[in-house]
Amino acid sequence: MKYNEVKKQHLLKDHKKRIGKSLDFQYITVHNTANPDSSAEDERAWLDNKNNTSTTGWHIVVDEFEAIEAIPLSEVAHHAGDGKSGPGNNKSIGIEICEFGNYAKSEQNAIELIASILIEKNWGTDRVKPHKHWSGKQCPRLILPYWDDFIKRIGEEIKKQKNNEVSSWAKEAHEWVIKNNISDGTRPKAPVTREEVWTMLYRFKAGE
């Protein structure tokens, strides 16, 4: 799941959880929702619930099926628990990972999402912080015991996504080989075996 697949369901501009302060984020803060009964849709609905009176919010929530953005990444959200002027709130975006349903899949979706944002920003995994880093809160509570492994998996996902990314100079050719059934277009940066070369030449010749 990459950032371009995130559903935009932004809170209204005058919503109390939209602080109205611009954000040029430098970090990504990871949270667990701490609610095993709540999906991404449930978390989004809770932001608008009349009983939810705090200004605490988040930017993106992820579950096993989808990711939803409630506050634009260009705006501050109070998610880090370090105060109105704290660096967590004012220099990072908050990504909530749902504990509902297939948690392993939710976590993997979040890893893919975070990796895609890091690639877009040309950043390394040092830009990813746990909620605990800013405020001391034991969050993300499920990930903290294996935080180093979580970061390692993000790094591996970055490599995977970069290997599957077609360079700008090759995009036209990439579309052409798929359209003409010469290649399926996968593994654009992987080495090519002789068998694959033979097959591509055969398909090209047969299509003439």
Side-chain angles (χ1 to χ4, degrees), residues 18-24 74-78 84-86 90:
R18 287 188 67 169
I19 310 305
K21 185 177 179 180
S22 63
L23 171 67
D24 178 17
S74 58
E75 293 183 19
V76 166
H78 288 168
K84 292 182 179 180
S85 59
N90 290 275

Side-chain angles (χ1 to χ4, degrees), residues 9-182:
Q9 296 180 10
H10 293 159
L11 299 169
L12 295 177
K13 286 188 176 182
D14 62 351
H15 198 288
K16 61 182 175 294
K17 295 182 185 295
R18 287 188 67 169
I19 310 305
K21 185 177 179 180
S22 63
L23 171 67
D24 178 17
F25 71 93
Q26 301 298 311
Y27 301 96
I28 299 170
T29 300
V30 179
H31 305 257
N32 280 130
T33 59
N35 187 345
D37 299 318
S38 184
S39 66
E41 287 188 357
D42 294 333
E43 290 293 325
R44 174 60 185 83
W46 172 242
L47 294 181
D48 282 323
N49 191 300
K50 65 180 181 180
N51 294 319
N52 186 348
T53 58
S54 78
T55 60
T56 302
W58 40 260
H59 291 92
I60 302 174
V61 64
V62 186
D63 69 12
E64 61 183 298
F65 302 112
E66 62 185 346
I68 300 173
E69 182 177 295
I71 297 175
L73 305 192
S74 58
E75 293 183 19
V76 166
H78 288 168
H79 64 89
D82 61 347
K84 292 182 179 180
S85 59
N89 283 332
N90 290 275
K91 292 186 178 181
S92 79
I93 58 171
I95 296 181
E96 293 274 358
I97 305 175
C98 290
E99 300 179 12
F100 169 83
N102 184 344
Y103 177 72
K105 177 60 176 171
S106 299
E107 189 172 285
Q108 180 59 33
N109 284 344
I111 286 171
E112 293 172 9
L113 170 63
I114 292 168
S116 73
I117 296 174
L118 293 175
I119 291 171
E120 179 68 23
K121 292 283 191 177
N122 197 28
W123 289 344
T125 55
D126 59 307
R127 300 291 187 125
V128 184
K129 305 296 183 183
H131 183 183
K132 183 178 181 179
H133 175 80
W134 307 114
S135 67
K137 183 177 180 179
Q138 284 297 112
C139 178
R141 64 175 188 169
L142 299 183
I143 301 175
L144 285 176
Y146 53 88
W147 179 257
D148 289 345
D149 181 65
F150 180 76
I151 292 297
K152 181 181 178 181
R153 288 163 61 197
I154 295 174
E156 291 170 349
E157 180 62 29
I158 289 173
K159 293 179 182 178
K160 179 181 176 182
Q161 289 188 23
K162 283 184 174 180
N163 285 336
N164 287 325
E165 183 180 357
V166 178
S167 301
S168 58
W169 55 266
K171 286 185 177 179
E172 187 175 347
H174 179 252
E175 293 171 359
W176 181 81
V177 296
I178 295 173
K179 181 179 179 181
N180 290 279
N181 195 34
I182 297 170

Side-chain angles (χ1 to χ4, degrees), residues 176-185 196 199-201 203-205:
W176 181 81
V177 296
I178 295 173
K179 181 179 179 181
N180 290 279
N181 195 34
I182 297 170
S183 169
D184 62 6
E196 288 173 323
T199 302
M200 287 188 284
L201 290 172
R203 289 176 177 175
F204 176 69
K205 189 67 177 177

